[in-house]
Amino acid sequence: MRSAASSPQRRGWPWSTSTTSWPRSTRSPPRPSRPSRSSGGSPEHGGEHGWDGSRLSVGGQSAGGGLAAAVARQALEEGGPRIALQVLHYPPLDLATSARDKRAAIAKPVLRPWMGEIFDSSYVPDPRERADRLVSPAGAADTADLKGIAPALVVTAEYDLLRAEAVRYAERLQRAGALVEHHDVLGVDHGYDGKDDKKALETYAVIARHARRALNPEAREAG
């Protein structure tokens, strides 16, 4: 997050960031099945670091939001760990659809179709794998029942090329009873929080409110 004042550490929350590395000889990132290993290990060792490992959330923005959705999906399919909240901030959730076939609300969005093609090819080089449920949960091929998946906060940007797929996934989560809120940030585009501090802090406040309610039973009971 851009503002230190809004960071989880400054608010006194335990915060875990998982990073993934791969050999230099590998031309593409690892498959999205990797992140769940990190989230699965954290609850087991939380007590060793002075925090409650039973209260776990995942989240990310842009590609990180897609990875967070994949982690939540794996937790559902594998029976754990229990995730109290997933935060998906302007995520790419349908790589099965070519970026050139996607439409934004404005003529020249920040994320241009040609850029989307480069990102999609870098993340999943083989087009046949882009319909995988961990890559494209908003794609037409994924019709599995998501009942029981982690509660979700979906944040979209009004002018973002990726907004429509995030909206579709939010609607799918709502049908599964898992959507906590779909927060649409008006008048902004992909990556807005790196440029507009006011809008960013407003969004971070929404995320923080939902995180408190999901991770702190006392806050949830107080409403």
Side-chain angles (χ1 to χ4, degrees):
M1 294 185 179
R2 181 183 175 86
S3 171
S6 64
S7 71
Q9 293 93 331
R10 289 290 296 272
R11 293 178 179 272
W13 298 343
W15 189 256
S16 174
T17 302
S18 62
T19 57
T20 306
S21 60
W22 53 92
R24 292 186 178 181
S25 59
T26 302
R27 300 185 63 183
S28 62
R31 294 177 61 83
S33 59
R34 297 281 283 282
S36 68
R37 298 178 186 176
S38 174
S39 62
S42 295
E44 299 172 6
H45 302 287
E48 300 172 9
H49 303 284
W51 54 275
D52 186 354
S54 67
R55 296 188 292 179
L56 178 69
S57 64
V58 295
Q61 59 192 41
S62 195
L67 289 173
V71 170
R73 180 65 171 270
Q74 288 180 298
L76 170 66
E77 295 176 350
E78 298 172 8
R82 179 187 175 279
I83 296 174
L85 180 70
Q86 54 173 318
V87 179
L88 314 180
H89 194 179
Y90 52 80
L93 297 171
D94 182 9
L95 274 65
T97 299
S98 170
R100 298 186 183 278
D101 293 328
K102 299 177 180 181
R103 297 292 179 268
I106 56 176
K108 295 183 178 180
V110 168
L111 183 59
R112 304 294 181 85
W114 66 266
M115 296 169 61
E117 290 287 346
I118 292 175
F119 295 147
D120 292 354
S121 296
S122 298
Y123 187 57
V124 185
D126 187 345
R128 296 170 297 181
E129 296 184 350
R130 294 178 193 167
D132 188 285
R133 75 208 186 288
L134 299 182
V135 177
S136 298
D142 187 12
T143 60
D145 183 5
L146 296 183
K147 185 176 181 180
I149 199 168
L153 166 62
V154 179
V155 180
T156 53
E158 183 181 12
Y159 301 148
D160 189 7
L161 185 69
L162 305 179
R163 180 181 182 277
E165 60 205 75
V167 170
R168 289 200 307 274
Y169 192 56
E171 292 171 346
R172 187 178 177 198
L173 291 168
Q174 185 172 37
R175 291 193 296 271
L179 183 67
V180 175
E181 181 183 349
H182 170 210
H183 182 74
D184 194 32
V185 186
L186 301 180
V188 298
D189 205 338
H190 195 88
Y192 71 92
D193 51 326
K195 303 176 181 178
D196 189 330
D197 285 347
K198 182 176 183 296
K199 291 279 190 180
L201 289 172
E202 289 173 352
T203 299
Y204 296 160
V206 171
I207 295 173
R209 183 176 72 250
H210 283 290
R212 282 195 300 269
R213 290 177 178 174
L215 300 172
N216 297 291
E218 300 83 2
R220 188 163 58 245
E221 291 172 2

